[in-house]
Amino acid sequence: MFIRKKRNASGSVSVQIIEKIGRNNKIVQTIGSSKDIDEIEVLYQEGLKLIPQLTKQPLLDLFPNDNSENIIDIFVKNLSTNSIVCIGPELIIARLFDYIGFSNIVDDELLKHLVITRLINPGSKLKVIEYLKRYRNIDMDIMKIYRFMDKFHLKYKEEIEEVAFNHTKKILGKITVLFYDVTTLYFESEDEDDLRRIGFSKDGKFQSPQIMLGLLVGEQGYPIGYDIYEGNSYEGNTFIPILQKFEKKFNLQKPIVIADSGLLSKNNIEQLKAHNYKYILGARIKNENHITKSKILSLNLDENNAIATVAKSDDILVLSYTDKRAKKDKYNREKGLARLEKRVKSGKLTKDQINSRGYNKYLHLENEIEVTIDYDKFNEDALWDGLKGYITNTTLSPNEVIENYSNLWQIERAFRISKTDLKIRPIHHYLKHRIEAHISISFIAYTVYKELERIIKLHDKNLSVQIALEEIKTIYGLEYTNPLTHKKKFEVLKLNEIQLKIQNIIEIELGCLE
């Protein structure tokens, strides 16, 4: 049973308890009707409370004869673990998949299964097989999945991006802001090919071959598109091409571009200006020239004077300070120093191990033979604790610049969905296709995730999408044969309060109630 809000010709809304029988909806009870939003919500909550009472019925009513107890015993004994099916992902996630439009891309339920398991039970393709068998009673051959992936990416990537973009545009309206970031995905294999290359790893796996993934999203993290690059590519070189590609593909009208400091280069800024882009980029304030750094430190930013600006050529350098960031910076510096002191004390640190990465910048080589720590440099770095900078050519206020940039973290969630298990070991000419297919499936999964998150937040700000996914995983159905009619039936087992709320939210939002 679920709650329906039905709009009447008079303009009022009737709140009804509905039971789905086959493909038809049966009205069990009308709670009431009103034109007042608050009253409608009260009626809705009353309906939620009534459903558990209406679904209670004596079990013996199912078997109205003298042998009821024996029939029940036999019925229960004939049930097996195979009778219990995890139906929640099909009721919720699969419907969102269809609603967004991904089911129109390819007429194959396998894609839906792969996307669902990416969200519900992320892991290797062998884990997909295990999940389908254990929770859905579906036998799947691993080679069927591989054959599907071998042809999937190149054939459907454009359509996937188009479906995702159209949905994002439907949610956001005009696309006014774009966020871009890249990450690296490594492989547990020593072999390189024309895509997987050893390069700078964001995961610290510098000896493992990797690929680079660039992701473009709109406000609140809604997906636009993605591209895959060779693992040894410089991330800054991916920035302008992907912007131009999707601007042309979707006819975007010069939205503000937001990216982190990894994409901050003189060439990128020149290219952004040459193509009339407005931008907000993370700044490397410690790498500024001596005059600019002196100006920044002279501002003496603190919690009472937390935001300021410094003119920088045609741009504005926005500075912000927080105590929370200062404490984190100090903690990381001291932790890095302690690690260096331990290495220096061991006497095993050599000249060839010194570089400027991370906290190695505090190391100093004396007389070409002795490695020491430059404590003056360590103490000078303390002046920058809590400070963060942003380069922009927009007319936004400093607070608006910081607020817009702060939404860049949304991309990290998409990266997490993509990064889960890329341990693809077989080496043959189809490997590249499977890697690309994995990214495509992850991109679809992220789009579905964002829609689930949007719908939940719209109706219940206290319910997180993570909790919702956990609840969805525990919605089960029972496949059984009726002991009286001998007909095979399937029933969704009674939902708990949170599961019922999720189901009602989906029913209402997807417009499935007529």
Side-chain angles (χ1 to χ4, degrees):
M1 292 185 186
F2 54 85
I3 309 297
R4 173 170 73 181
K5 293 180 181 179
K6 182 179 179 182
R7 187 167 294 281
N8 303 313
S10 64
S12 65
V13 173
S14 294
V15 179
Q16 302 168 330
I17 296 177
I18 303 295
E19 182 178 8
K20 204 170 191 68
I21 301 176
R23 294 181 176 273
N24 300 316
N25 291 334
K26 176 186 175 183
I27 298 175
V28 176
Q29 183 174 333
T30 298
I31 309 302
S33 63
S34 176
K35 294 183 179 180
D36 184 85
I37 295 176
D38 292 334
E39 289 183 6
I40 294 170
E41 182 60 28
V42 170
L43 293 172
Y44 179 83
Q45 295 300 325
E46 286 180 9
L48 288 178
K49 294 176 182 177
L50 277 174
I51 286 179
Q53 300 175 25
L54 294 172
T55 54
K56 287 179 181 177
Q57 59 178 353
L59 188 58
L60 291 177
D61 288 350
L62 295 172
F63 312 103
N65 57 58
D66 295 336
N67 295 319
S68 294
E69 188 172 344
N70 290 334
I71 293 176
I72 293 172
D73 289 340
I74 295 170
F75 172 72
V76 172
K77 286 178 181 179
N78 285 330
L79 293 175
S80 70
T81 54
N82 289 335
S83 302
I84 306 295
V85 178
C86 180
I87 194 64
E90 298 297 319
L91 288 176
I92 308 298
I93 297 175
R95 290 182 65 187
L96 291 174
F97 178 95
D98 294 338
Y99 172 72
I100 293 169
F102 289 119
S103 56
N104 298 325
I105 293 176
V106 54
D107 185 21
D108 194 328
E109 287 292 303
L110 180 53
L111 175 59
K112 193 179 293 184
H113 290 321
L114 290 169
V115 170
I116 286 173
T117 52
R118 193 95 218 120
L119 291 171
I120 294 297
N121 190 42
S124 67
K125 297 304 172 280
L126 287 173
K127 283 191 175 181
V128 174
I129 300 293
E130 180 185 330
Y131 172 80
L132 291 175
K133 178 61 178 174
R134 177 174 294 181
Y135 295 103
R136 298 285 297 133
N137 290 335
I138 297 174
D139 287 307
M140 182 75 68
D141 178 19
I142 187 67
M143 292 311 299
K144 181 178 180 180
I145 293 180
Y146 284 152
R147 286 193 295 270
F148 177 82
M149 294 178 71
D150 289 341
K151 66 182 181 180
F152 178 71
H153 171 78
L154 292 178
K155 191 173 181 180
Y156 299 110
K157 179 178 184 293
E158 296 296 317
E159 292 179 59
I160 291 168
E161 289 175 330
E162 189 169 345
V163 169
F165 175 79
N166 288 336
H167 184 69
T168 291
K169 192 172 181 181
K170 176 183 174 182
I171 299 301
L172 298 179
K174 188 176 180 181
I175 309 296
T176 58
V177 178
L178 285 181
F179 298 84
Y180 180 67
D181 202 358
V182 299
T183 193
T184 53
L185 310 175
Y186 73 92
F187 298 82
E188 291 192 351
S189 167
E190 296 179 357
D191 300 282
E192 293 184 272
D193 51 34
D194 59 344
L195 179 62
R196 300 180 305 153
R197 298 286 186 182
I198 292 175
F200 178 77
S201 171
K202 293 177 181 284
D203 299 298
K205 304 290 184 178
F206 297 104
Q207 302 306 313
S208 299
Q210 64 182 26
I211 62 172
M212 185 174 288
L213 170 64
L215 181 65
L216 203 62
V217 304
E219 286 183 77
Q220 302 174 53
Y222 291 106
I224 302 290
Y226 67 96
D227 258 332
I228 305 168
Y229 307 94
E230 293 178 3
N232 59 356
S233 302
Y234 167 55
E235 63 182 274
N237 293 340
T238 68
F239 192 24
I240 304 302
I242 198 170
L243 287 178
Q244 292 180 307
K245 172 184 175 180
F246 285 100
E247 179 188 3
K248 182 178 179 180
K249 180 176 180 178
F250 296 126
N251 194 28
L252 299 175
Q253 301 300 310
K254 298 296 180 187
I256 297 173
V257 179
I258 301 175
D260 71 10
S261 58
L263 300 164
L264 180 66
S265 69
K266 183 178 179 181
N267 179 61
N268 274 342
I269 290 180
E270 288 175 352
Q271 289 292 313
L272 286 168
K273 289 178 178 176
H275 292 90
N276 298 315
Y277 283 108
K278 297 296 182 183
Y279 52 82
I280 300 172
L281 304 175
R284 297 191 184 101
I285 53 179
K286 294 181 186 179
N287 293 349
E288 294 288 347
N289 60 48
H290 177 70
I291 295 174
T292 303
K293 288 199 291 185
S294 296
K295 287 181 180 179
I296 294 171
L297 294 177
S298 68
L299 294 170
N300 295 319
L301 295 182
D302 56 28
E303 281 292 307
N304 298 317
N305 178 33
I307 298 175
T309 60
V310 173
K312 190 176 183 294
S313 186
D314 298 330
D315 298 321
I316 296 294
L317 179 59
V318 177
L319 287 311
S320 73
Y321 170 91
T322 67
D323 277 341
K324 182 179 179 180
R325 191 187 302 131
K327 290 175 182 177
K328 182 180 178 181
D329 291 344
K330 181 182 179 183
Y331 172 81
N332 288 337
R333 273 189 311 103
E334 291 176 345
K335 184 178 179 181
L337 177 64
R339 187 165 58 245
L340 285 179
E341 287 175 331
K342 184 177 180 180
R343 291 172 64 196
V344 170
K345 187 177 180 180
S346 71
K348 297 179 181 179
L349 197 61
T350 60
K351 177 182 177 181
D352 63 332
Q353 294 175 307
I354 296 179
N355 55 53
S356 59
R357 283 201 207 104
Y359 298 104
N360 279 5
K361 62 188 175 183
Y362 300 139
L363 294 176
H364 179 68
L365 193 64
E366 291 185 352
N367 304 321
E368 296 296 324
I369 55 170
E370 185 181 359
V371 177
T372 61
I373 294 176
D374 188 339
Y375 286 95
D376 288 337
K377 197 168 187 178
F378 173 80
N379 292 325
E380 287 173 8
D381 253 8
L383 298 173
W384 300 91
D385 287 353
L387 294 175
K388 187 170 180 60
Y390 317 84
I391 291 286
T392 185
N393 65 343
T394 67
T395 57
L396 297 175
S397 70
N399 282 318
E400 288 173 325
V401 167
I402 295 168
E403 182 180 353
N404 274 283
Y405 185 89
S406 66
N407 285 312
L408 193 59
W409 70 270
Q410 297 266 8
I411 294 183
E412 287 302 317
R413 193 155 42 193
F415 285 157
R416 286 198 298 272
I417 292 174
S418 300
K419 283 189 172 185
T420 308
D421 196 89
L422 267 177
K423 301 171 185 176
I424 306 175
R425 294 184 178 87
I427 305 299
H428 52 73
H429 70 289
Y430 279 133
L431 177 58
K432 179 180 177 181
H433 295 172
R434 292 182 187 175
I435 295 170
E436 292 168 336
H438 171 89
I439 302 301
S440 296
I441 291 165
S442 298
F443 183 77
I444 296 173
Y446 174 65
T447 307
V448 174
Y449 179 98
K450 284 298 300 181
E451 180 60 4
L452 177 62
E453 179 187 62
R454 182 190 73 83
I455 291 175
I456 288 173
K457 285 186 178 296
L458 191 64
H459 292 267
D460 189 339
K461 290 182 171 56
N462 295 320
L463 179 61
S464 72
V465 69
Q466 289 80 12
I467 291 175
L469 285 171
E470 290 299 319
E471 290 292 339
I472 289 169
K473 285 196 293 187
T474 57
I475 296 176
Y476 293 98
L478 178 66
E479 295 177 335
Y480 67 97
T481 300
N482 187 298
L484 299 179
T485 65
H486 304 292
K487 291 183 178 179
K488 289 186 177 181
K489 299 191 70 176
F490 180 85
E491 295 290 342
V492 177
L493 299 182
K494 184 178 177 181
L495 307 183
N496 64 35
E497 186 177 347
I498 298 177
Q499 292 167 344
L500 185 61
K501 181 182 291 185
I502 294 169
Q503 185 191 44
N504 275 292
I505 286 172
I506 296 299
E507 292 283 354
I508 292 168
E509 188 61 27
L510 300 194
C512 295
L513 305 179
E514 300 298 336

